[in-house]
Amino acid sequence: MFGREAVVVCSDKNISSVISIWDLESGEDIIHIPTCASPPHGLLCLNNQFLVASQIQKLRCVGGGAICMWPLNKLQACNGSYPIEPIGPIACTKDGLFLLGGAPSGNIYAWEVSSGKLLKIWHAHHTSISCLALSGDDSLLISGADDGFIRVWTMISVLDMADSQPHGCFPRFHSWSQHGSSITGLLSASAGTVLISSSLDGNCKVWDLVEGTLLQKHVFSTAVTAIVLDPGEQLIFSGCEDGSIYVHALDIGMQEIPPVVADDESKVLSGHKESITALSFSLSGLWLISASKDCTVCLWDVSSWQVTRKFKDEKAGQITNLLVIPLSSLSVMESQSSSGQLCVSLLEKAPQLTKESEGTIALLPTYCSFEDHHNSTAFRSSNLLNQQILDLEGWRTPEAMQMKVETNVEYRLWAMSMTKKITAMNKQLRSLWLDLVQRRLAPDLELDVGKTKKLKLNGPEGRRQTPP
């Protein structure tokens, strides 16, 4: 059973904006957190224990930014971290252990929340990152940028610390460039095997995260600014620039050619006057919540698709982010055991190079010679190398797990490729067989036609008939 819920909203207008929290059922104001302006996709809840918001300060002569964390049971206490560059969209794993942030430079940062350690930085895109998302099982990280590119990375590679250099360089799992403008939304569905993306180019696309193929395409007459999937993963809700919310089915059949669905084939929800900025479902699945540039938040009853309540707060301003949290998380009892409490630390501003711990080993990079690393502390005895080999054979390390995952993916892709080839060969063999049958029947048909003509000329008794 689901208890009472609260909706959390914030704006990116200026640093004087606030985070507002309202009771979802009664509409009552619960609390306002001052001085917080977050860009789109810059607000999340960490394991139902902390609110996390990224802030980009645009008014300073030298641009900067921060990542702020508030414990839900003590919202007055703010934990502020200041990365080396501003962070826009953020994402976290379901257990709240790892936080990821995308920067306007195209870099992605990965932190361990408990220690604040900056695990890795890499240049993921050539333009500003607009969206970050994780697959349903937290195995893949998906990033979208202002140039319309979507890229997929394995979390095993992101969190792999065998490389002592935090500035990781590792291959992408997938890279798509089919969108023509900035990515506005990324959603993972079907246990992490399906991805839904939206863009200002007016398209909403459905992807197979394993094969990297396009499954479905929805085309709208206006820019798509926000998307959400219903809890049953049957319907996609696309909020658009004209203030409309289009509802269409998530149809991911086995068609060879991805179906294209137009906006006139979708149900339309009309309750806002300006562009939709954020969409979410309540934890119970009974309400759809939408936010707009018209400074309102609408609560939709899923049984009738009618607006049952509107929230509006001048302090919140133009809302860019919204999320739903359990109302009980705002009043955690003092006597509650702290064993389940998430530990958070200040996030590192820049990577810290540390000595590797005893017993660890790093294989020689392909771009380095043995002489360059002869005295490196990364090399240990042959006994440790043998131990690493045993670990790899027993699938006991992250590297081994990654090898196994990649091998399974390769096997599946190979099997699907072979299936397509066999299907094509069957079609070709069927065509050749039909041609052969046609050729073998053709002489018999010509002979029958010749006999028929001869009979007509000679008459029924075989004698040639002369005209009267």
Side-chain angles (χ1 to χ4, degrees), residues 145-454:
D146 282 346
D147 59 2
F149 273 78
I150 299 173
R151 285 170 179 164
V152 184
W153 321 81
T154 62
M155 281 298 289
I156 291 178
S157 299
V158 172
L159 303 178
D160 181 15
M161 296 306 295
D163 182 3
S164 60
Q165 297 298 324
H167 293 270
C169 181
F170 46 92
R172 301 182 292 266
F173 189 66
H174 291 305
S175 181
W176 301 309
S177 59
Q178 281 86 336
H179 280 293
S181 189
S182 180
I183 304 299
T184 57
L186 294 171
L187 294 174
S188 177
S190 300
T193 60
V194 173
L195 174 72
I196 305 165
S197 63
S198 63
S199 170
L200 293 179
D201 64 2
N203 290 328
C204 181
K205 299 186 178 184
V206 183
W207 310 86
D208 188 315
L209 268 176
V210 177
E211 298 178 38
T213 55
L214 182 63
L215 301 176
Q216 192 179 24
K217 179 180 178 181
H218 298 266
V219 181
F220 300 93
S221 57
T222 182
V224 183
T225 51
I227 53 172
V228 73
L229 193 63
D230 77 305
E233 297 189 351
Q234 301 295 318
L235 300 172
I236 306 173
F237 295 77
S238 301
C240 292
E241 200 171 33
D242 60 1
S244 301
I245 302 172
Y246 294 88
V247 187
H248 40 93
L250 177 62
D251 184 10
I252 47 175
M254 298 299 292
Q255 301 96 329
E256 291 186 5
I257 300 176
V260 177
V261 181
D263 55 1
D264 55 3
E265 302 176 37
S266 307
K267 177 180 176 61
V268 183
L269 305 180
S270 300
H272 291 284
K273 298 178 181 179
E274 295 186 42
S275 175
I276 305 296
T277 55
L279 292 170
S280 181
F281 264 89
S282 64
L283 302 177
S284 62
L286 299 177
W287 293 289
L288 168 70
I289 305 109
S290 60
S292 168
K293 283 186 177 181
D294 60 13
C295 302
T296 62
V297 174
C298 288
L299 189 67
W300 304 80
D301 186 340
V302 298
S303 60
S304 62
W305 295 122
Q306 299 295 320
V307 177
T308 60
R309 181 173 293 107
K310 277 192 177 185
F311 302 89
K312 188 169 184 179
D313 191 342
E314 298 300 330
K315 294 181 181 179
Q318 184 175 297
I319 297 167
T320 53
N321 292 281
L322 72 83
L323 55 89
V324 180
I325 60 173
L327 193 59
S328 59
S329 62
L330 297 174
S331 55
V332 179
M333 299 299 293
E334 294 291 337
S335 60
Q336 186 177 356
S337 173
S338 60
S339 60
Q341 290 295 314
L342 188 67
C343 177
V344 300
S345 300
L346 290 176
L347 305 179
E348 286 183 350
K349 187 180 184 71
Q352 303 293 323
L353 298 180
T354 58
K355 293 183 179 180
E356 294 186 357
S357 59
E358 277 302 316
T360 60
I361 183 169
L363 298 180
L364 185 66
T366 56
Y367 54 84
C368 298
S369 64
F370 177 77
E371 290 77 12
D372 293 336
H373 287 75
H374 182 66
N375 296 321
S376 173
T377 58
F379 293 95
R380 300 288 183 260
S381 66
S382 59
N383 291 333
L384 288 177
L385 182 58
N386 291 332
Q387 182 62 41
Q388 187 183 41
I389 293 173
L390 290 175
D391 288 342
L392 287 172
E393 291 175 349
W395 310 109
R396 291 182 292 183
T397 64
E399 295 86 354
M401 292 173 62
Q402 181 182 5
M403 290 168 59
K404 190 171 184 179
V405 170
E406 291 178 351
T407 301
N408 289 336
V409 171
E410 288 178 1
Y411 282 158
R412 180 174 176 180
L413 293 176
W414 174 83
M416 299 193 70
S417 176
M418 290 300 297
T419 302
K420 290 180 180 178
K421 288 181 180 179
I422 291 172
T423 302
M425 289 173 62
N426 286 337
K427 288 181 180 179
Q428 189 175 7
L429 288 173
R430 187 184 304 170
S431 177
L432 291 173
W433 180 77
L434 290 174
D435 289 343
L436 182 61
V437 170
Q438 210 169 18
R439 290 177 184 175
R440 295 184 67 177
L441 292 176
D444 297 336
L445 291 173
E446 290 178 0
L447 183 61
D448 291 342
V449 170
K451 287 181 178 180
T452 303
K453 288 182 178 179
K454 188 174 181 181

Side-chain angles (χ1 to χ4, degrees), residues 99-114:
L99 179 69
L100 301 114
S105 65
N107 291 335
I108 295 180
Y109 292 71
W111 288 278
E112 183 182 45
V113 173
S114 60

Side-chain angles (χ1 to χ4, degrees), residues 83-97:
I84 197 170
E85 63 176 317
I87 298 297
I90 54 177
C92 68
T93 53
K94 288 182 174 58
D95 53 16
L97 297 181

